[in-house]
Amino acid sequence: MRTEREFANGHPAGAVNIPVAFPDPSRGMTMNADFVKVVEASFPHDKKIIVGCQAGPRSNAAAGLLQQAGYQDVSNLARGFGGMRDPMGTVIAPGWSASGCR
């Protein structure tokens, strides 16, 4: 669910990245209209899927889209990979990268 650049900067072993949105210099982020189609081509509807983004919000959108498409076992990595940040950019809740898991 992360951008290609975010994913390249670190991800869990074995993770597959299918961005739910792409960076758009003029609008911030643009939804990936093919997101569900790409996921469906890669994973069956009975597969357990864990979605995550850099800080959390995009993965909420991705989880909702997958559930609407009929995926039954979708989990959201709520704090994201890098953690939740306050408006000043300070991590206020550590993410997966700080968990020590690999």
Side-chain angles (χ1 to χ4, degrees):
M1 310 311 125
R2 299 166 68 210
T3 66
E4 292 175 3
R5 183 174 168 199
E6 290 169 344
F7 191 77
N9 284 333
H11 56 272
V16 175
N17 189 40
I18 303 172
V20 71
F22 298 109
D24 181 333
S26 65
R27 295 184 291 190
M29 297 296 278
T30 301
M31 292 302 289
N32 176 1
D34 295 325
F35 172 71
V36 171
K37 191 179 341 179
V38 173
V39 173
E40 288 177 326
S42 304
F43 302 100
H45 282 235
D46 62 351
K47 180 80 171 173
K48 178 175 182 62
I49 297 189
I50 300 171
V51 296
C53 63
Q54 185 63 22
R58 282 174 278 157
S59 60
N60 283 331
L65 290 170
L66 294 177
Q67 289 167 339
Q68 288 174 8
Y71 283 88
Q72 300 298 311
D73 196 357
V74 179
S75 297
N76 181 20
L77 184 60
R79 297 181 196 163
F81 185 80
M84 295 173 68
R85 297 177 183 271
D86 68 14
M88 300 303 293
T90 303
V91 174
I92 56 174
W96 186 90
S97 63
S99 71
C101 297
R102 297 287 173 239

